[in-house]
Every structure is written in C-alpha cells, then in structure tokens.
C-alpha cells in the first residue's frame, strides 16, 4: 500500500533563515525563494584529491662522446641563433622476462657514437621503407600516431615497423605471425641468420621478408613507453620511440653474426644496485666500456626506463601498466666549468627538499640487495646549475 509519507530523495532541503524574507509573509507577491529551485547536493568529496606525482629536475653527466660538442655549445653567447640539426626517427624495444629478483631485460653494446648510448636496448634508426604500408595486426597507424604524439601517420607507422625490424635484425626475436593468434617460431639454423643479415645489410627489405615468409607484423605485441629526443647541441640527433614487449613463446635471442659484439639478459635490480661500479663495462670488455660506470655507458632515457623496470615485480605487471607517453629532450646546463644534461622526471610525491635539482645525500634512498622486490635509485647531487641564455 502506498503511503502519504514524503519520500527521501537524497537532497538536503533548504531551511529558511529568520528575517531573510524567506517566509510567505515576508516574500513579495509572486516571488519565490532564490534557492528554492537549487537544492544542495552532497557529492561525497570535501576537497580536491592530493597529487600523487610531481616533476623534479634530473641531472645527468654528459656522455664522453658528446662532451666536446657540449663544451662548444656552452661557450656560445647566443644559443638561440644556433642551427639545430633535425632529429632522425629511431625506435627501440625493451624486452622483458621474469628473473629471480625482478625483471630481466636485453642490453646490447653499440659501437661508435650512437645517440642511443654505448649500451642500450635493441633498436636503431628508421629506414625509408619502414613507412611503407604492410599487413599487420594490432592498433591502427592512426592509433599509434595519437599514442606517440606524432604529427603524421607515416612517422608513427615507420617507428613501429622499425622497432619490429631492428629487434629481428639485432636479436632474432620476430614479432610477427601468420594471423592475429599466432607468432613465428624461432629457428636457430643458418637460414634464419641469413635472412636477418639480408635485412640488416639492406639486401632485402623487411616488407619483402614478411611477404616471402607469409607473415604479418604483430604490432599488438608492443606497448609504447616513451619518446626521447637527443639534445640540441649534438650533431647526430635521434627522436627515439621506446616500446616494450615480452619474448614470444618458442623464441630466444641471439646476436647478429655480422654486427653483434655483446648482448645479454641483465637483471635490472642488480644492475642498478651496482650502478656506481664498473661491473657492466668490464663485463662487456670493450675499449670504451672498461673501467666506466653505468651512467657513462647509457643515455638518460635508458636510465629512467631501467629505474622504472626495477620497480615492477613481474612481466605481467610491467606490460599491463597504464602509461602516458611523454616526449622528453635533455637540455644542457652548466655548473662552473662543468656541463650536465637536465630533464624533468615524473616521480611519486615526496617531501619538498627546497633544493635545486636533486635529493640531498642524507635523504637519498639506499638500494638493499637483500630486499626482495624493492629498489629505488639515488639521484646524483651537484651544485645548483644555470642554463646559459641569450
């Protein structure tokens, strides 16, 4: 049976105030109370949520092969008048697998003065034919364009294909299949190595290789991570899109016979725990790596991604992580006669230090090798720096 009892609607009724002209006797003829049609609603929120992240300035040593160019650039009075070389598109893939203590990833040695770093994830420069349409499974080129913040679809397509092609050339890992549910199986024979060599030496395009083998690119196996651009002062600049992926079942990595010098699966937490030693450089054993610490071997973007990898407890957690791709470019700053690379990094909110750039030594987190699943890297502290302006 229905009742004449008023129904509760969740609205807080407006109470008339004394002497406010809100009673019928005090209101003008035909006038309604101004709040009568605006009941107050309870939203469940009393204040804005506290921020979860903040941006801090990171300072990074200029790699040895960039120092001459950096010192020359820092002495120029009017840097705004200097011509900056255009950045060539490049792509790199962070392959991951579960290890005994966190994730492991593939790092390779890169001869010469690669803007990707002396030691980096597999990758390289985009080729002209990487932008040519080819059959693939996964997000559309337009979806990749939006995700990676490119101006053109061709740039996005080329970066994605370059990531798959370079991975195939350098490591033998092939992110391709005959359909959306299959992935090519690894072949350890000479024929597989010869196909990789032909693509690497540009005797055969990657598009042609896929067509001859009846395979299609599996771009859905890639996850976008970030974009990093080389600093303005360097003469060989890259605009590198970083992706991440797991190793397909049945495949394993093997260096390219003609070009491979060193490459290995590295435990990320152990690597960062030994960042102030020369362990990695000595293990590689090359003239420009022996006796050098981690920061002297890798680029700032690679360091940031290694730090992020160290926080993940499993491959599934790393690949499922929600990301917003950022376009980062280190800038040159000076401190006395020293040059440093500066960039902004997004980190969890921490107590304000009131200092420029880095966390004071007393507040630096310490890596605990025995702590399962934990590692936080310490920032490099230097004196306050200023950027030379016009």
């Amino acid at each position: 049976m229905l009742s004449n009892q008023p129904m509760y609607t969740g609205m807080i009724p407006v109470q008339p105030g004394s002497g406010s002209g809100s009673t019928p006797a005090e209101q003008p003829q035909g006038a309604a109370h101004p709040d009568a049609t605006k009941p107050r609603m309870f939203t469940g929120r009393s204040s804005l949520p506290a921020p979860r992240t903040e941006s801090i300035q990171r300072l990074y040593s200029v790699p040895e092969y960039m120092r001459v160019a950096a010192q020359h650039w820092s002495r120029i009075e009017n840097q705004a008048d200097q011509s900056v070389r255009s950045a060539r598109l490049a792509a790199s893939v962070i392959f991951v697998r579960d290890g005994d203590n966190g994730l492991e990833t593939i790092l390779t040695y890169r001869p010469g003065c690669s803007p990707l770093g002396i030691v980096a994830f597999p990758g390289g420069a985009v080729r002209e034919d990487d932008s040519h349409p080819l059959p693939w499974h996964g997000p559309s080129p337009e979806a990749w364009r939006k995700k990676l913040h490119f101006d053109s679809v061709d740039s996005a397509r080329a970066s994605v294909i370059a990531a798959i092609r370079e991975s195939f050339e350098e490591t033998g890992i092939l992110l391709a299949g005959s359909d959306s549910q299959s992935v090519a199986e690894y072949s350890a024979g000479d024929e597989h190595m010869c196909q990789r060599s032909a693509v690497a030496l540009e005797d055969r395009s990657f598009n042609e290789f896929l067509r001859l083998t009846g395979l299609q690119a599996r771009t859905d196996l890639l996850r976008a991570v970030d974009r990093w651009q080389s600093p303005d002062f360097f003469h060989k600049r890259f605009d590198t899109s970083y992706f991440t992926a797991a190793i397909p079942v049945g495949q394993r990595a093997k260096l390219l016979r003609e070009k491979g010098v060193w490459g290995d699966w590295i435990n990320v937490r152990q690597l960062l725990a030994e960042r102030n030693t020369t362990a990695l450089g000595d293990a590689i054993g090359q003239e420009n790596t022996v006796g050098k610490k981690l920061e002297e071997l890798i680029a700032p973007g690679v360091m940031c991604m290694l730090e992020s990898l160290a926080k993940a407890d499993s491959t599934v957690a790393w690949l499922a992580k929600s990301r917003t791709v950022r376009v980062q470019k280190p800038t040159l700053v000076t401190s006395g006669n020293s040059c440093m690379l500066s960039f902004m990094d997004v980190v969890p909110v921490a107590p304000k230090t009131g200092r420029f750039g880095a966390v004071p030594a007393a507040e630096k987190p310490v890596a605990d090798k025995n702590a399962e699943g934990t590692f936080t890297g310490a920032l490099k502290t230097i004196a306050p720096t200023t950027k030379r302006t016009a």
Side-chain angles (χ1 to χ4, degrees):
M1 178 181 297
L2 295 178
S3 171
N4 292 326
Q5 187 71 20
M7 180 179 295
Y8 176 66
T9 64
M11 299 181 182
I12 301 176
V14 178
Q15 300 294 334
S18 60
S20 62
S22 59
T23 64
E26 294 172 330
Q27 289 180 2
Q29 284 288 337
H33 189 278
D35 292 329
T37 59
K38 299 179 181 179
R40 290 182 288 125
M41 301 291 292
F42 177 66
T43 64
R45 175 178 291 179
S46 58
S47 61
L48 294 176
R52 300 177 61 184
T53 59
E54 63 181 349
S55 295
I56 64 169
Q57 184 189 39
R58 295 291 301 270
L59 299 169
Y60 192 90
S61 297
V62 177
E64 185 176 357
Y65 59 87
M66 287 187 179
R67 288 175 189 167
V68 173
Q71 290 169 357
H72 175 73
W73 184 275
S74 67
R75 289 193 294 266
I76 297 173
E77 292 298 329
N78 193 347
Q79 295 177 353
D81 294 340
Q82 297 303 304
S83 60
V84 178
R85 291 178 179 266
S86 59
R88 185 178 180 183
L89 292 179
S92 190
V93 180
I94 307 167
F95 287 106
V96 291
R97 72 180 185 185
D98 293 322
D100 293 335
N101 178 25
L103 296 181
E104 295 179 351
T105 190
I106 296 176
L107 293 178
T108 62
Y109 170 78
R110 314 192 70 80
C113 301
S114 171
L116 297 180
I118 299 174
V119 179
F121 305 110
V126 165
R127 295 179 185 170
E128 182 179 356
D129 59 355
D130 287 331
S131 62
H132 297 172
L134 53 73
W136 74 12
H137 296 287
S140 67
E142 173 62 18
W144 282 112
R145 184 195 69 79
K146 293 179 179 178
K147 183 70 175 179
L148 295 168
H149 307 296
F150 278 114
D151 293 331
S152 72
V153 171
D154 285 345
S155 295
R157 179 191 288 111
S159 296
V160 172
I161 295 302
I164 296 176
R165 175 184 54 76
E166 286 286 346
S167 298
F168 174 63
E169 292 177 16
E170 290 192 21
T171 69
I173 299 171
L174 181 57
L175 304 179
S178 57
D179 53 48
S180 60
Q181 303 298 318
S182 65
V183 182
E185 295 184 1
Y186 176 83
S187 172
D190 290 339
E191 181 182 354
H192 186 77
M193 185 66 74
C194 289
Q195 291 172 336
R196 291 169 57 190
S197 297
V199 174
L201 297 174
E202 300 188 57
D203 293 334
R204 174 179 296 163
S205 70
F206 186 62
N207 197 332
E208 183 182 7
F209 162 74
L210 292 179
R211 181 174 56 80
L212 291 174
T213 55
L215 299 174
Q216 301 179 7
R218 286 289 306 275
T219 68
D220 56 325
L221 299 180
L222 291 172
R223 300 288 183 271
V225 179
D226 255 336
R227 266 178 68 192
W228 280 80
Q229 299 174 345
S230 302
D232 289 341
F233 65 83
F234 198 52
H235 66 280
K236 189 177 181 181
R237 301 183 62 241
F238 278 173
D239 182 347
T240 308
S241 298
Y242 284 91
F243 303 86
T244 188
I247 302 294
V249 175
Q251 296 193 26
R252 62 184 180 89
K254 185 176 182 180
L255 287 177
L256 183 63
R257 183 170 49 206
E258 288 82 2
K259 293 185 176 181
V261 176
W262 176 91
D264 204 355
W265 284 99
I266 300 296
N267 184 280
V268 179
R269 288 174 181 166
Q270 181 180 348
L271 176 68
L272 292 182
E274 299 174 347
R275 67 197 302 167
N276 291 322
T277 73
T278 62
L280 178 63
D282 294 342
I284 295 172
Q286 298 299 306
E287 183 178 356
N288 61 340
T289 65
V290 173
K292 296 199 174 169
K293 298 179 181 179
L294 182 62
E295 190 178 85
E296 301 175 273
L297 300 175
I298 65 175
V302 175
M303 177 67 85
C304 285
M305 282 173 275
L306 286 172
E307 291 172 347
S308 184
L309 279 167
K311 299 173 185 176
D313 291 326
S314 68
T315 297
V316 172
W318 167 256
L319 294 176
K321 181 180 179 181
S322 177
R323 298 179 178 87
T324 299
V325 174
R326 297 172 296 160
V327 182
Q328 294 259 60
K329 180 174 70 173
T331 58
L332 189 66
V333 296
T334 59
S335 176
N337 295 325
S338 300
C339 294
M340 301 288 288
L341 293 177
S342 170
F343 59 94
M344 301 304 294
D345 196 11
V346 177
V347 299
V349 170
K352 299 294 183 180
T353 63
R355 292 186 50 157
F356 181 87
V359 178
E363 300 179 23
K364 290 182 180 180
V366 179
D368 182 1
K369 295 182 181 180
N370 298 319
E372 179 73 22
T374 61
F375 176 84
T376 50
L379 302 182
K380 183 178 179 63
T381 303
I382 67 168
T385 60
T386 56
K387 181 179 178 181
R388 186 184 296 273
T389 58

